[in-house]
Amino acid sequence: MINWDGPSVRHILSLSGGKDSTALAIHLRDRVPNMEYIFHDTGKELPDTVAYIERLESYLGQRVIRTTTRQGFDDILRTKGGVLPSGRRRWCTDYLKLKPFEAYIGDEPCINYVGIRADEDRVGYISHKPNIRAVFPFRDDGIDYAGVVRILTDSGLGMPPYTEWGRTRSGCFFCFYQQKIEWVRLKQHYPKLFEEAKAYEKPNRVNGQVFYWTDEPLDQLERPERMAAIEENWERTQERKRARRTQRPLVDVLGGLETEPTPRDGCMICQL
Ligand code: SF4
């Protein structure tokens, strides 16, 4: 029977480079002094994410431990016969995030602090290993999206830098959960990374089959007329969302209820 209040229990916060786990680290800095901060760097992260983690280290006055595996994305991709990960074949999270997390913890009892907010209806990654207990401080403390933004602003860290150029998620630059507009932004902001992502869409050495990150090849998505159409479509969607917001009951507006601009789908452990 584990005594979860005992001194031998480790305290671990797994960072993704996203706003919620970063805000949670700030929120708990002075409450959990023996916290171990870890970051499962896939080696394919955005430069913005890496820089944000480094700024957080300065704020915490503590190193964030990288749990990067020896076998990187490209090695694993080869063992998968060149089959790119996708929503249905999400081997990347398993190999590059979950396994390093469990390997780092080992068999010692550990409390895992998870950054799911009070306004979110999801469970996130919960290990079924009996020595890991997940806790949700934002839920316990009633901290929602607006609360997270406040924590980041007050700390001086601000929102993750990639949000400035229109990306909504941390994680790998080629993540298949990206929206079309995020691919457009990647091409505009990090053309070399876009080229790198595109280079993966090539005939597989084993059977010549080609796998794509999204439902259209990136060399089609990057055509000027296609990018313009994606931009236009995105603008129209934003317009509709703005209109819906102004139709909200006055009590919501006066109450300052702010919600996350884009609903999240995708990889919890990568983008929390
Ligand atoms: S960010 Fe996306 S591509 Fe990277 S490990 Fe997570 S799900 Fe896979």
Side-chain angles (χ1 to χ4, degrees):
M1 186 79 172
I2 298 170
N3 170 14
W4 291 105
D5 297 320
S8 62
V9 172
R10 292 166 68 193
H11 297 261
I12 297 184
L13 198 161
S14 181
L15 295 155
S16 70
K19 65 181 181 335
D20 294 326
S21 58
T22 303
L24 187 62
I26 295 166
H27 185 60
L28 297 177
R29 182 186 67 172
D30 301 326
R31 297 191 199 176
V32 188
N34 50 349
M35 185 78 89
E36 296 168 49
Y37 300 98
I38 58 175
F39 173 48
H40 314 295
D41 187 343
T42 62
K44 303 291 176 184
E45 308 285 340
L46 286 167
D48 306 44
T49 306
V50 176
Y52 197 50
I53 293 275
E54 286 169 0
R55 280 173 54 204
L56 177 66
E57 284 179 318
S58 303
Y59 179 89
L60 297 171
Q62 190 176 332
R63 200 175 132 60
V64 172
I65 298 155
R66 273 64 169 180
T67 61
T68 312
T69 49
R70 276 228 324 263
Q71 203 188 22
F73 179 88
D74 294 331
D75 302 318
I76 303 168
L77 181 62
R78 268 190 292 277
T79 69
K80 297 281 171 193
V83 180
L84 292 177
S86 66
R88 276 182 301 162
R89 297 180 301 259
R90 219 176 75 188
W91 53 258
C92 48
T93 317
D94 200 27
Y95 282 86
L96 299 169
K97 299 281 179 181
L98 301 184
K99 281 185 172 45
F101 172 74
E102 293 190 341
Y104 176 78
I105 290 170
D107 295 323
E108 292 175 70
C110 135
I111 297 182
N112 175 31
Y113 294 80
V114 183
I116 292 181
R117 305 185 311 259
D119 58 330
E120 291 185 290
D121 181 21
R122 57 180 187 150
V123 286
Y125 164 67
I126 298 172
S127 174
H128 297 295
K129 287 183 76 175
N131 62 315
I132 302 174
R133 181 178 157 206
V135 295
F136 304 88
F138 280 161
R139 278 199 184 148
D140 298 343
D141 298 342
I143 294 176
D144 58 6
Y145 174 72
V148 160
V149 175
R150 210 162 26 243
I151 290 170
L152 292 172
T153 308
D154 292 350
S155 71
L157 244 72
M159 292 287 273
Y162 52 77
T163 57
E164 284 163 23
W165 50 273
R167 177 148 164 150
T168 59
R169 61 198 72 222
S170 54
C172 305
F173 64 83
F174 48 51
C175 185
F176 45 85
Y177 281 121
Q178 276 176 93
Q179 302 161 29
K180 294 283 169 76
I181 189 68
E182 293 178 294
W183 281 109
V184 171
R185 302 278 188 252
L186 183 72
K187 163 117 182 128
Q188 291 164 337
H189 207 79
Y190 284 117
K192 280 194 181 148
L193 292 183
F194 187 91
E195 287 303 311
E196 250 187 77
K198 208 169 74 178
Y200 284 98
E201 297 186 335
K202 60 180 184 222
N204 172 325
R205 271 201 225 138
V206 183
N207 56 16
Q209 211 181 338
V210 186
F211 291 91
Y212 301 103
W213 293 114
T214 178
D215 60 358
E216 63 185 310
L218 291 181
D219 62 2
Q220 283 181 32
L221 186 148
E222 71 174 339
R223 293 202 321 259
E225 64 278 14
R226 177 67 186 126
M227 294 215 302
I230 293 170
E231 290 262 16
E232 212 176 290
N233 188 34
W234 182 78
E235 286 294 347
R236 272 203 303 270
T237 309
Q238 298 311 303
E239 197 51 54
R240 279 199 298 273
K241 282 184 183 167
R242 276 193 291 274
R244 271 204 301 273
R245 272 204 292 274
T246 56
Q247 287 162 7
R248 279 190 330 198
L250 188 59
V251 64
D252 280 6
V253 179
L254 291 177
L257 291 184
E258 292 172 62
T259 53
E260 194 163 20
T262 309
R264 281 196 291 188
D265 49 2
C267 182
M268 309 269 206
I269 196 159
C270 303
Q271 289 144 16
L272 203 60

